[in-house]
Amino acid sequence: QVQLVESGGGLVQAGGSLRLSCAASGTIFSINAMGWYRQAPGKQREVVATITKGGTANYADSVKGRFTISRDNAKNTLYLQMNSLKPEDTTVYYCNAVVRAPVGYVEVWGQGTLVTVSS
């Protein structure tokens, strides 16, 4: 069974920075695309940033220039460096990955980590 575990969320003042991490564990042959998503209460989950196995990144317009997604394929770990945080970035952030496991390709979600930005 493949699991994703996020860490790094917390409380920060506006203008501050946080770094989220997402570690994949289990029997993993390879990981294709990975991404960070967020979901505010009562709203749909939205993409924040995605990254291919080769390192090509894409960002939501709302975070371009402030957030940086990266991955360490050797460690099966995904990162999100968040700078110049704004109160509207406050919500739960989820890690996502498409993993090649013994059963085939599976899409896996983490449990979420809360980011709170105070004004």
Side-chain angles (χ1 to χ4, degrees), residues 10-49:
L11 174 64
V12 64
Q13 288 188 331
S17 299
L18 283 174
R19 189 192 195 207
L20 305 183
S21 297
C22 170
S25 62
T27 303
I28 298 170
F29 294 156
S30 63
I31 302 178
N32 290 357
M34 303 184 80
W36 289 99
Y37 295 73
R38 63 188 182 186
Q39 185 170 19
K43 294 188 177 182
Q44 287 190 332
R45 190 168 296 187
E46 63 176 7
V47 61
V48 175

Side-chain angles (χ1 to χ4, degrees), residues 55-111:
T56 300
N58 285 285
Y59 299 91
D61 288 343
S62 59
V63 306
K64 279 182 181 177
R66 299 189 297 124
F67 292 8
T68 302
I69 189 171
S70 62
R71 62 190 286 174
D72 185 330
N73 291 331
K75 296 181 179 180
N76 288 335
T77 301
L78 178 71
Y79 304 99
L80 185 69
Q81 178 66 43
M82 304 186 294
N83 298 329
S84 303
L85 282 161
K86 304 176 181 179
E88 51 263 44
D89 294 319
T90 295
T91 189
V92 179
Y93 286 72
Y94 297 90
C95 173
N96 172 274
V98 176
V99 177
R100 181 168 171 257
V103 296
Y105 286 97
V106 292
E107 183 177 26
V108 188
W109 290 92
Q111 82 287 352

